[in-house]
């Protein structure tokens, strides 16, 4: 049984986000928390007036900028989600800026 989107996406990136979530679920992932995060990103795109089927660097950096109240782990989660989205978009032939897989400024401290 296919799981439906909790809340529909509305931005210009909606078809891409729906397809990404469907792909992940088709691979066996529940992808509920991730879907909610993509819904927040979708709303962010609408609020910023993003109108192209692209993932530009400026938009990615605005979304992933560290907020004063959040932990580095929360910021890293947003970076990871947009890396997944960007890689998916590139595989589908859309222009997308993707963070490098290792970002030293976003890594959390290691404890001994």
């Amino acid at each position: 049984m296919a799981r439906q989107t909790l809340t529909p996406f509305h931005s210009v990136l909606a078809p891409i986000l729906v397809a990404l979530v469907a792909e992940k679920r088709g691979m066996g992932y529940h992808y509920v928390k991730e879907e909610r995060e993509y819904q927040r990103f979708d709303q962010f795109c609408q609020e910023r007036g993003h109108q192209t089927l692209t993932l530009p660097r400026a938009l990615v950096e605005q979304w992933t900028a560290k907020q004063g109240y959040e932990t580095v782990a929360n910021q890293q989660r947003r970076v990871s989600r947009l890396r997944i989205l960007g890689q998916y978009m590139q595989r589908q032939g859309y222009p997308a800026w993707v963070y490098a897989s290792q970002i030293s400024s976003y890594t959390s401290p290691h404890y001994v």
Side-chain angles (χ1 to χ4, degrees):
M1 171 180 5
R3 192 177 282 191
Q4 293 191 354
T5 304
L6 298 173
T7 305
F9 297 105
H10 300 287
S11 76
V12 69
L13 296 177
I16 295 169
L17 293 167
V18 168
L20 171 61
V21 170
E23 177 183 274
K24 292 295 185 176
R25 288 190 175 145
M27 296 169 68
Y29 296 104
H30 292 284
Y31 233 65
V32 174
K33 290 179 186 176
E34 295 85 349
E35 181 181 31
R36 286 187 197 121
E37 290 180 38
Y38 285 129
Q39 288 164 349
R40 287 191 294 275
F41 177 67
D42 182 68
Q43 182 178 355
F44 177 82
C45 290
Q46 280 188 288
E47 292 168 356
R48 298 296 184 280
H50 183 66
Q51 295 296 318
T52 60
L53 291 173
T54 63
L55 193 59
R57 181 177 185 159
L59 185 69
V60 171
E61 288 179 341
Q62 287 173 4
W63 175 250
T64 58
K66 186 169 183 319
Q67 305 299 309
Y69 57 85
E70 75 177 343
T71 65
V72 172
N74 285 338
Q75 179 191 23
Q76 181 60 42
R77 189 170 27 257
R78 284 197 325 276
V79 168
S80 176
R81 300 289 187 252
L82 282 208
R83 184 181 301 123
I84 291 166
L85 173 60
Q87 290 169 341
Y88 176 80
M89 288 179 68
Q90 287 177 346
R91 284 195 320 270
Q92 302 304 314
Y94 296 103
W97 185 80
V98 178
Y99 275 112
S101 60
Q102 294 294 322
I103 305 169
S104 61
S105 62
Y106 289 108
T107 57
S108 57
H110 297 279
Y111 297 97
V112 178

